[in-house]
Every structure is written in C-alpha cells, then in structure tokens.
Amino acid sequence: MTANDAFTAGVRPGGLTSSTEIRLLLCYLVKNAGPITRQEIENALMEEALVNYFEIGSCLDDITKQQLVTLTNGSYAITEKGRKVAQELAYDLPRSVRERAVAAVLRCQTWARKEAKYSASITEKADGHCSIRCTVKGLDEDLFCLDLGTPDRLTAELVKKQFILKGNEIYQLLINKLTEEEK
C-alpha cells in the first residue's frame, strides 16, 4: 500500500480511496457546510459510505496540522489556506461524491439541531414492551413531555426518530387542539 492509499473497508464503489482525495473532500465540506463537528462529518460520510471511518479521523488530523482548517470548541472551520485548496482542487473530485457528501452533511446538521430541541428516550421493559419519553425543549427547560408505550423496540425506535424529525409539527397540533374553542 502506498503512502497515498486509504483503507477501503466500508467504502462503496465510487467512494474515495486516496488520502489526498479524502483531505480535499474534507476541506470542501468544511468550506461549504462549516463550522461542522467531527461527529457530523463522520455520520454524513459513513451514511453515504464514501470514506473509510478511520481515514476520516486521520485526514481531519492531517488538514488541521496543515492549517487548512481550525478546530475550535469541537467545530471545524475553514482557513484562508483551506479555502484556496477547496476552490482550486476540490473539483478534481467526482461531482457525485461532492454532492452526496454535502447533502449528507446538511441532513446530519439538521438532525443535530432537531435532536437538541426534540428528544426522545426509550426504556425497554422486561416483557419487551418499551416506553418512550418525548420532550420538546425551549428556553433551557422542558416545554412539553409525552410518555408513550410501544409493543417492541423497533416501533419505539421509529417513534423516536419521527418525534425528533416532526416534533415541531406534533407540538403545534397539540397546542392548537388544546387551545381551540368549542363549537
């Protein structure tokens, strides 16, 4: 394996297999979606199977050392040097890879914002049933809590995901129903 080859385990065909390409993609992502956390980058690139997990960490460390990005309070931001690299070289990467990576990062960032405001925790009972505590947070406190029961873990995970994605709609519907006048 040459110094520029990357680990390819978990990378779909068409994904990136060169450390240089991975560093370029990371600069491109931080430039276009930053500031961004390591977790958001990892989740996005692993979801799309574009890069090997271990290569993400290694290449993030490399571009930080090369001062292409900075790491402040857990978020990566592009430097002027990194911006130039991303503008001049990132278009050497396949367009499909760039587009899938940016779309995945934006999905992960949206999920992280929603998860901070709408949370759901699952408690599994001895008989296999689950209870889910759904919470809407605002102004540093819980605005709304709802406890639901489900017959199994799979259903509980689905309810959790949907509550995080649609917590605002659920909260608005409930408030509207509770405050509407009788006819």
Side-chain angles (χ1 to χ4, degrees):
M1 181 158 78
T2 67
N4 210 24
D5 288 342
F7 290 110
T8 59
V11 179
R12 74 168 60 172
L16 302 182
T17 57
S18 144
S19 296
T20 300
E21 290 176 328
I22 295 167
R23 288 190 295 270
L24 287 174
L25 179 63
L26 292 171
C27 285
Y28 181 80
L29 287 176
V30 174
K31 175 184 169 280
N32 289 294
I36 184 170
T37 67
R38 182 184 206 109
Q39 186 70 46
E40 290 167 342
I41 293 169
E42 289 172 351
N43 289 346
L45 296 179
M46 294 306 298
E47 175 184 307
E48 291 294 322
L50 292 173
V51 178
N52 174 276
Y53 173 79
F54 298 104
E55 290 297 323
I56 297 169
S58 174
C59 290
L60 276 171
D61 292 343
D62 289 348
I63 65 173
T64 303
K65 287 176 193 164
Q66 294 168 359
Q67 298 180 340
L68 299 172
V69 298
T70 59
L71 178 60
T72 308
N73 297 326
S75 290
Y76 291 92
I78 197 79
T79 63
E80 192 54 41
K81 182 179 173 184
R83 185 178 315 283
K84 287 179 184 174
V85 167
Q87 286 173 335
E88 294 174 17
L89 300 175
Y91 293 95
D92 291 345
L93 298 171
R95 180 178 179 177
S96 62
V97 168
R98 292 191 319 265
E99 289 175 353
R100 285 197 336 245
V102 169
V105 164
L106 294 175
R107 279 192 310 275
C108 287
Q109 288 177 324
T110 300
W111 176 263
R113 280 193 302 278
K114 286 185 176 200
E115 199 170 30
K117 190 170 183 180
Y118 311 105
S119 65
S121 59
I122 299 171
T123 305
E124 193 164 349
K125 300 181 182 187
D127 66 357
H129 288 81
C130 293
S131 66
I132 306 137
R133 182 169 191 83
C134 301
T135 308
V136 176
K137 300 172 190 157
L139 304 172
D140 296 329
E141 62 182 63
D142 292 348
L143 296 177
F144 168 76
C145 288
L146 174 66
D147 288 320
L148 298 167
T150 62
D152 55 43
R153 182 75 182 200
L154 186 62
T155 306
E157 291 291 346
L158 180 60
V159 168
K160 175 181 178 176
K161 179 182 177 188
Q162 290 301 316
F163 183 79
I164 291 170
L165 288 173
K166 299 177 182 176
N168 186 50
E169 294 171 46
I170 294 165
Y171 182 67
Q172 285 299 318
L173 285 169
L174 184 62
I175 291 296
N176 289 343
K177 283 294 181 190
L178 293 173
T179 58
E180 74 183 7
E181 291 185 29
E182 291 290 322
K183 294 179 184 175

